[in-house]
Amino acid sequence: MNARMASEDKTNSTPKRTPALLGRLTLLAVLVGVISTLSYSMSMPTMIRQGHPDFGAWWDLNQFYFMEGAAMALGLLVGIRIGRGFVSDTAARACGANVALVLAIIVLIPLMHLCGDAARIAWGSRVIVTQGVTIGHMHLAGKPLDKVLMTGVYFFKTAGFAALSGLALFAVAAVAFIGTGKSSEEQTAAA
Amino acid sequence: MLTLRLLVLFIHVTAVIVALGGSLFSTFALTPILAEELDAPSRLKVARRVIRRLGAIVLTALAVLVFTGILNVMFLGSVSTVLIVKLVLVAVVIVLALYQYGSLGAQVWRLSERGPDPAIAALQARFRRVGITVGTLVLIIVYLSLGLTRGGGAIILAALR
């Protein structure tokens, strides 16, 4: 069945093209995510503070939230895009993605804390590692590569939970529009 | 008695019942009875409405499952291999349900607008197959959930090996 779905995707590649907005937002989330994750794990604010004390202090306070927000946004966008790929109805795909995007913006902050908390649960453990402990642990122990790896794992765990949420948001949004538009097959035939 | 954890768990279990029960009822009760009792045009008329309404119910229930599921992970306070397998299966189920209702269901809905069509039967058969797959996967997820909360993840993994 997967092969059949994949072949359908290939034949309908033109109508299933990712909209520019979703693509740009994904790129932005990746960019912010990479910068903030590297900055957080490599203690960049200390270096920034030498040249720009005020900005360095502000970045030190907020870089974690930028990283968490970027992971959340990336996950939600990936989830919406994956869900979009499995719907052939044009209205459900286009309007569903737009509505899901609006819903994602609304729930971004509350979900960011929820998914962040879930991602901080250690493997096989019953203890949630708090942000403070994570910062302390990363700054006190480990080589630079270890710190990047640990922060990267946290980033991807948050993004993973967010991707599931994105899929769910798209499912809720798309369901209202199912049956109201043409299918990809009909669009291809018309073209 | 009434705690947030219990309330979230109640909504989670209710969402499973709604998603799984709806799919099973449609696949094993409604569709065979429609085929036996109604003529082709009337059957199609009922089936296309059922697909749309059931799609809304099942996909919304799956979305509720995801959000209450993340909250349950918080309450559980533990991440294990079983949980990761379960989360991956949940993603697969949502994708399959989207394909079932957003692609196959929408095609049946559109084709049946003009009355009976020879292409509809094949689409409906595929729709039913995907529905059975989704139902089976949800049952596996339920089993894994029971293992997580009642049996311990290691027991299930040992049984799988």
Side-chain angles (χ1 to χ4, degrees):
Chain A
M1 190 165 56
N2 285 341
R4 192 182 292 158
M5 282 193 262
S7 69
E8 277 176 16
D9 284 348
K10 276 177 195 167
T11 52
N12 304 319
S13 56
T14 313
K16 286 202 174 185
R17 199 178 57 222
T18 308
L21 182 64
L22 275 181
R24 281 177 197 156
L25 285 174
T26 310
L27 200 66
L28 184 69
V30 170
L31 200 69
V32 174
V34 168
I35 291 169
S36 53
T37 304
L38 285 177
S39 166
Y40 181 77
S41 57
M42 297 175 88
S43 312
M44 293 279 200
T46 316
M47 283 182 272
I48 299 170
R49 273 182 171 179
Q50 289 172 356
H52 309 276
D54 289 340
F55 177 68
W58 178 84
W59 183 242
D60 196 17
L61 274 176
N62 296 294
Q63 59 178 345
F64 180 81
Y65 298 107
F66 271 89
M67 181 181 79
E68 212 172 45
M72 194 66 215
L74 179 67
L76 284 170
L77 287 165
V78 167
I80 291 170
R81 289 175 72 165
I82 290 172
R84 205 176 159 276
F86 285 89
V87 173
S88 73
D89 188 88
T90 49
R93 214 170 56 225
C95 302
N98 290 338
V99 173
L101 203 57
V102 173
L103 289 175
I105 292 166
I106 293 169
V107 299
L108 181 72
I109 303 294
L111 265 184
M112 186 177 99
H113 294 300
L114 185 68
C115 293
D117 284 350
R120 279 200 287 277
I121 298 172
W123 187 267
S125 155
R126 291 195 170 270
V127 179
I128 296 174
V129 183
T130 61
Q131 185 197 346
V133 175
T134 313
I135 294 168
H137 184 68
M138 283 177 186
H139 285 198
L140 289 172
K143 292 172 184 169
L145 199 61
D146 293 337
K147 294 176 191 172
V148 173
L149 191 71
M150 284 162 71
T151 320
V153 168
Y154 173 69
F155 181 88
F156 282 112
K157 274 169 83 178
T158 308
F161 282 114
L164 261 181
S165 310
L167 258 178
L169 283 180
F170 179 77
V172 167
V175 83
F177 302 100
I178 286 172
T180 56
K182 287 180 178 176
S183 70
S184 306
E185 291 81 0
E186 284 170 345
Q187 273 207 331
T188 314
Chain B
M1 181 65 191
L2 184 68
T3 57
L4 179 66
R5 184 175 183 172
L6 203 63
L7 185 70
V8 170
L9 194 62
F10 171 74
I11 298 170
H12 193 70
V13 173
T14 309
V16 175
I17 293 167
V18 170
L20 191 61
S23 293
L24 292 179
F25 172 75
S26 163
T27 308
F28 296 110
L30 188 69
T31 311
I33 292 172
L34 283 180
E36 284 170 17
E37 299 293 330
L38 295 180
D39 56 330
S42 312
R43 189 168 63 229
L44 207 58
K45 218 171 169 179
V46 177
R48 71 196 296 265
R49 290 199 62 187
V50 167
I51 284 172
R52 202 167 178 192
R53 188 161 291 196
L54 194 67
I57 292 168
V58 169
L59 289 175
T60 309
L62 287 176
V64 170
L65 268 178
V66 167
F67 293 114
T68 51
I70 294 174
L71 280 171
N72 277 332
V73 171
M74 293 291 305
F75 291 132
L76 195 66
S78 170
V79 176
S80 59
T81 314
V82 176
L83 182 70
I84 300 298
V85 172
K86 191 188 152 188
L87 291 177
V88 170
L89 282 180
V90 169
V92 172
V93 162
I94 297 178
V95 161
L96 278 177
L98 271 172
Y99 174 69
Q100 185 189 10
Y101 293 101
S103 191
L104 298 175
Q107 282 177 57
V108 171
W109 172 269
R110 222 174 6 263
L111 284 173
S112 58
E113 253 176 357
R114 299 181 287 270
D117 189 301
I120 293 174
L123 279 172
Q124 278 181 322
R126 243 163 94 187
F127 183 88
R128 196 159 178 249
R129 276 201 304 275
V130 175
I132 291 169
T133 311
V134 168
T136 311
L137 287 176
V138 172
L139 281 175
I140 294 170
I141 290 169
V142 169
Y143 184 76
L144 291 177
S145 305
L146 286 175
L148 271 174
T149 54
R150 304 288 169 94
I155 295 170
I156 295 180
L157 276 182
L160 287 175
R161 281 175 199 143

